Amino acid sequence: MGRELPIHRTRNIGIMAHIDAGKTTLTERILYYTGKTYKIGEVHDGTAEMDWMIQEKERGITITAAATTTYWKNTRINIIDTPGHVDFTVEVERSLRVLDGAIAVFDAVAGVEPQSETVWRQADHYNVPRICFINKMDRVGADFERCLTMIKERLYSIPLPLQIPYGKEDIFRGVIDLIQMKGIIWTDASGEHYEYTAIPDELQSEAKYYREHLIETVAEHDEQILDKYLAGVEIEEQELKRAIRTVTIKSALFPVFCGSALKNKGVQPLIDAIVDYLPSPKDIPSIKGNDAQHDDVILERHPDDKEPFCALCFKIMTDAYVGKLCYIRVYSGHVSVGESILNVNKQKKERIQRILRMHANDREDIKELYTGDIAAIVGFKFAQTGDTITSIDAPIVLGKMEFPEPVISIAIEPKTRADIEKLHMILKRLVDEDPTIFVKVDEESGQIVLSGMGELHLEIIVDRLQREFNIPVNIGKPQVAYKETVSATAKAEGIFEKEIGGKLQYGHVLLEVSPCDSHFEFISKLDNAAIPDIFIKAIEMGCRDALNSGVIAGYEITRIRVIVEDAKYREDVSVDHAYRIATTMAFRDAVKKATPVLLEPIMKLEAVVPDEYMGDIINDINARRGKIEHIDIRGMLKVIDAYVPLSEAFGYATAVRSLSQGRASHTLQFNHYDVVPQNVMEKIIGSYYRPV
């Protein structure tokens, strides 16, 4: 059948931003103007195409990253609309892992918000080129220049305005294009029709200033532009576009556009910019990975249909009609329906039964996939998020995807005993879909403990259990995911000597534990000649076993270094599990001596507050053991940056609404773990706490 369009006519982009900046609204406009949909969906009335889950329609937020494919100017654009709420940041993380470019959307009034910073850092981590869209230019308080300043100061990035607004707030009419030096005005409410005009007299000097700034900034990164600029030669439009494309792909500069997605202004030039400035799969560096047999051997796959097939599974989803869907991004080669491939991480062969090109929750069957494509596969049994999928005879392991650990837990149980087995099965399916969900059964109580990234995250999971899967559940109060560590250095000895089945089994170790910055460090001072290597591995496994349950209240132990000082070996009776048990005993004993402390998750809070309520909000933060870092002025509002323990932040949304008569807004996101003060620790632990 062959390729539909050449690879340089493909764009894989994500739309990312803080919650309520207008990502989904912008995506709906892009789909409408490119002819993918026949009417514009709206988030506020629950008709947005990309927000297809019941929970998304009800809350007016994006929860799961939705994928779609559309076309513009003979270019195929694969778009992923990602969530803005911090609880679903993993959806952004795994989408950015496979995208070539992104549109960062900013609210023209709020500018760079906390989650804007988080997703920008994620994009930096994966080196994803971005263009910026300053949305909501029609709102009262919209400030284009302030947004540019915030991009510089908060994101440490250089914005490159290619447009400036033509009017603002209620007189926002369109944009001034600094490449063509013309005005663009939208002439009807639907946003379908627009016209190019001369720049009005009152904007001439501002447009000239920004055009000069544009050429100067690009000239710093492009010698051809610099030579022409210094010689005073007029720079042609195509030449300037080429230079801007080059610096954008290098992530040296970030082109900035503006508009109002809700009022249908500024969208078509942004779609042009996706084609003009964001990279195709050919423009990004070839993907590197490890040899499946030899970790230290680095392999490379180039974006070429003739290379061996290589793809990454970045998302698992369960579809009510077709079952398990595995979203993949193809980095090299091509594959057809009916072929068998290798899941390298699981070392299992899988067969491709169907290939679906997705449009949110709708799907279209296709027969083949080529380099640069993003699609969903039906038929994979073993695939999980982060697995590498390759041709059977050319395996390669692409870098793993790292996910944050959960900070909040609830206990759940089905309302009827008949649903227990079904609940376990559905929870396993949800964990496959979302790697930030953790499920475990409490050994003492037998309760199922569900852990996630925040209150909303857990609320959505429980809602899905009850409505989507028809399993009514009882839920306990949210619990904080505390951790334990040590604050001093201590040594302890562990000896296991026991007769089992008529045979003596023996293990003997001496350990030292001390604090460290990473989760767990294991150092052995043992001589391999004195004790076989297999027993050193058993000692490490014993340490890892002991990490799961701390000595204060059974929470996971972290930030600990273990040094194996000595181990005794008897050739006839030493066995590996005896060392494992002896190590666990020594580890727990050493931790008890090393002044164990409790760690709690600390949330970064940003509260945007009218001046008259600031005193009450600050007093409330202080009462919650919060630490105020910074207070900023944003127009008529004050912006309070603070750190608050998660245990004190439950119900904060209700509190901040009542303290400000509903006029303040806030965002909370996990930042780091910190030591719990002794008096608070005793209160938290209660009957579990035993002074050491």
Side-chain angles (χ1 to χ4, degrees), residues 85-378:
H85 196 285
V86 63
D87 284 14
F88 308 105
T89 189
V90 65
E91 289 286 338
V92 187
E93 182 86 22
R94 60 180 168 190
S95 300
L96 286 171
R97 174 71 172 79
V98 297
L99 293 173
D100 303 329
I103 301 171
V105 184
F106 300 96
D107 182 323
V109 181
V112 176
E113 298 172 271
Q115 187 65 2
S116 315
E117 291 186 56
T118 303
V119 295
W120 193 270
R121 303 275 170 263
Q122 288 172 311
D124 281 344
H125 176 69
Y126 291 114
N127 200 26
V128 176
R130 278 143 278 171
I131 56 179
C132 305
F133 183 67
I134 296 174
N135 193 23
K136 305 191 180 184
M137 283 303 306
D138 59 314
R139 279 186 60 201
V140 175
D143 192 332
F144 181 76
E145 288 186 16
R146 200 173 119 267
C147 288
L148 295 178
T149 304
M150 291 178 84
I151 290 169
K152 280 183 213 161
E153 292 177 355
R154 287 200 170 194
L155 304 178
Y156 308 104
S157 300
I158 304 171
L160 184 71
L162 302 191
Q163 294 175 347
I164 56 172
Y166 188 162
K168 66 175 183 178
E169 299 181 349
D170 57 344
I171 55 164
F172 177 65
R173 300 182 62 198
V175 298
I176 305 296
D177 182 334
L178 299 172
I179 303 287
Q180 298 184 50
M181 287 301 277
K182 289 180 181 174
I184 308 175
I185 297 174
W186 276 262
T187 53
D188 64 352
S190 74
E192 287 184 73
H193 303 105
Y194 55 95
E195 58 186 35
Y196 284 85
T197 66
I199 297 171
D201 292 342
E202 68 271 19
L203 285 172
Q204 282 284 353
S205 61
E206 189 182 354
K208 281 176 184 165
Y209 166 78
Y210 273 102
R211 165 81 178 190
E212 187 77 9
H213 173 266
L214 163 64
I215 292 170
E216 279 180 12
T217 309
V218 174
E220 289 172 13
H221 297 82
D222 189 288
E223 284 188 19
Q224 289 178 355
I225 301 290
L226 179 62
D227 291 344
K228 284 200 168 185
Y229 175 64
L230 293 174
V233 177
E234 184 64 32
I235 296 160
E236 292 175 17
E237 183 183 326
Q238 289 309 314
E239 198 174 11
L240 187 55
K241 280 186 169 182
R242 174 204 56 77
I244 293 169
R245 178 178 175 79
T246 303
V247 293
T248 305
I249 290 170
K250 286 179 182 170
S251 294
L253 302 174
F254 300 92
V256 180
F257 300 82
C258 62
S260 168
L262 188 64
K263 297 290 170 63
N264 307 298
K265 292 184 174 120
V267 179
Q268 294 94 332
L270 183 69
I271 311 172
D272 286 339
I274 293 169
V275 175
D276 289 342
Y277 305 121
L278 287 178
S280 76
K282 274 279 188 200
D283 297 316
I284 58 168
S286 55
I287 194 94
K288 289 183 171 65
N290 300 91
D291 186 293
Q293 262 69 48
H294 308 95
D295 263 1
D296 53 341
V297 177
I298 304 296
L299 301 174
E300 203 168 348
R301 292 286 181 269
H302 301 93
D304 191 326
D305 295 337
K306 295 187 176 74
E307 290 241 338
F309 173 71
C310 170
L312 185 76
C313 169
F314 68 95
K315 181 179 170 71
I316 298 291
M317 225 176 77
T318 305
D319 185 285
Y321 301 101
V322 297
K324 184 175 177 178
L325 288 177
C326 175
Y327 282 80
I328 68 167
R329 154 71 197 261
V330 182
Y331 286 102
S332 66
H334 74 280
V335 74
S336 306
V337 170
E339 282 188 39
S340 290
I341 51 85
L342 178 68
N343 180 329
V344 187
N345 299 73
K346 304 289 184 297
Q347 284 297 303
K348 300 273 189 184
K349 288 182 185 175
E350 303 255 32
R351 190 168 174 276
I352 297 173
Q353 292 174 7
R354 289 172 72 187
I355 302 173
L356 303 176
R357 184 163 285 153
M358 301 300 288
H359 174 51
N361 202 29
D362 294 330
R363 49 202 168 266
E364 167 201 349
D365 271 280
I366 55 175
K367 295 297 179 192
E368 291 178 295
L369 280 181
Y370 291 88
T371 303
D373 284 350
I374 290 176
I377 304 289
V378 179

Side-chain angles (χ1 to χ4, degrees), residues 35 46 183 220 337 377 421 468 508 534 565 629 633 665 672 689:
E220 289 172 13
V337 170
I377 304 289
E421 202 170 315
E468 194 177 321
H508 182 172
I534 188 172
E565 297 276 356
E629 291 287 303
I633 298 167
S665 64
H672 65 283
Y689 180 70

